[in-house]
Amino acid sequence: MIVVGGEALIDLVPVARPPGALLPRPGGGPYNTALALGRLGAEAAFCSRVSADGFGESLLSGLRAAGVDLSLVQRGPEPTTLAVPSLAPDGSASYGFYVEGTADRLFTLPPTLPASVRALALGTCSLVLEPGASAYEALLRRESRRGLLTLLDPNIRPALISEPVAYRDRFLTRLLPHASVLKLSEEDAFWLGGRPRDWLAAGPSAVVLTRGAAGLTVWTREGAEHSAPARRVAVADTIGAGDTVSAALLHRLSGAPDRAVDWPDVLAYAAHAAALTCTRAGAEPPYAAEL
């Protein structure tokens, strides 16, 4: 089983008609990753704190329909976090957030994960908003010590990070040493201000960089470097594409932990899955049959 920890929220996506209208869509980087894993046919579980309001119920319904295990989900009466993406002409998105007093940031450390768990993924808002951020950090440290494959996706949202210097230090000294794989975008890399060799030296065995229309590249601790081109598609938007990459990486890497990774194949699979997500409005990752 692959466990994905982090926030589940509602994206209020702008639509053309009526002018100024916002369409609520399920979202949150970890939520999208768990959804994508379920649709890709992986045995996946979601580990978060989700509101008992109507939005929270709809979020869990989406995961349930994808076959995602919800036994690790905590519930609370607080409202669901809201995100308002702004879309650029190329389909890329930036975000504003409504996070005060919301349920997901009150996540608490769960008991040790089941013995069947092979991998853990964490990222995005859950690594920033306290007190939940400290609980997720503790989860990452605890599970990495017992040998789980761990994937870290910082998925930087500058609007949420009030102290950038402190966050960068936390990322480099308290999170990265416990990650097996670091997956990040070019925008994340620019904001963090590091380079792949710096991050590899901090702990991960591989760093995967998503480069939009230029595809994906991985650097490994052994000194290998591989790239895969992006697939050409008609882009509706890029919401959820990076989260789909995380899911595809987890699906392939956790399935064969005891042999050498075929990185060109893994990257090509991730690029294909992400491209299909980009053809749809909102975070709508593909199903296994589409790949």
Side-chain angles (χ1 to χ4, degrees), residues 16 35 43 93 107 120 161 186 242 247 249 254 287-288:
L35 181 71
E43 184 182 1
F107 171 82
L120 170 69
I161 303 175
E186 286 185 313
L249 294 174
S254 66
Y287 292 87

Side-chain angles (χ1 to χ4, degrees), residues 196-208:
R197 66 171 176 266
D198 300 326
W199 299 319
L200 288 169
S205 60
V207 173
V208 177

Side-chain angles (χ1 to χ4, degrees), residues 26 34 38 73 84 92 114 133 140 144 147 173 181 191 194 196-197 201 207-208 241 247 267:
V73 172
V84 183
S92 62
L140 174 66
S144 70
T173 64
V181 177
W191 190 91
R197 66 171 176 266
V207 173
V208 177
L267 295 182

Side-chain angles (χ1 to χ4, degrees), residues 2 5 7 54 94 114 126 129 144-145 165 181 216 223 262 266 271 278 282 285:
I2 301 168
E7 76 280 353
S94 58
S126 59
L129 299 173
S144 70
R145 282 197 297 266
V165 173
V181 177
L216 301 90
D262 184 351
V266 171
C278 290

Side-chain angles (χ1 to χ4, degrees), residues 109-164:
L109 180 66
T112 302
L113 299 181
S116 61
V117 175
R118 307 188 311 273
L120 170 69
L122 297 173
T124 318
C125 307
S126 59
L127 302 178
V128 178
L129 299 173
E130 295 289 6
S134 290
Y136 283 114
E137 179 185 329
L139 178 63
L140 174 66
R141 295 166 70 96
R142 186 186 73 191
E143 300 303 326
S144 70
R145 282 197 297 266
R146 72 181 184 105
L148 262 63
L149 169 71
T150 53
L151 182 142
L152 185 65
D153 180 6
N155 207 358
I156 299 297
R157 300 293 184 235
L160 290 176
I161 303 175
S162 60
E163 299 181 9

Side-chain angles (χ1 to χ4, degrees), residues 78-111:
E78 303 82 13
T80 298
T81 293
L82 303 177
V84 183
S86 299
L87 301 179
D90 64 356
S92 62
S94 58
Y95 294 84
F97 294 90
Y98 297 86
V99 298
E100 290 302 319
T102 52
D104 53 69
R105 68 185 302 173
L106 300 179
F107 171 82
T108 58
L109 180 66

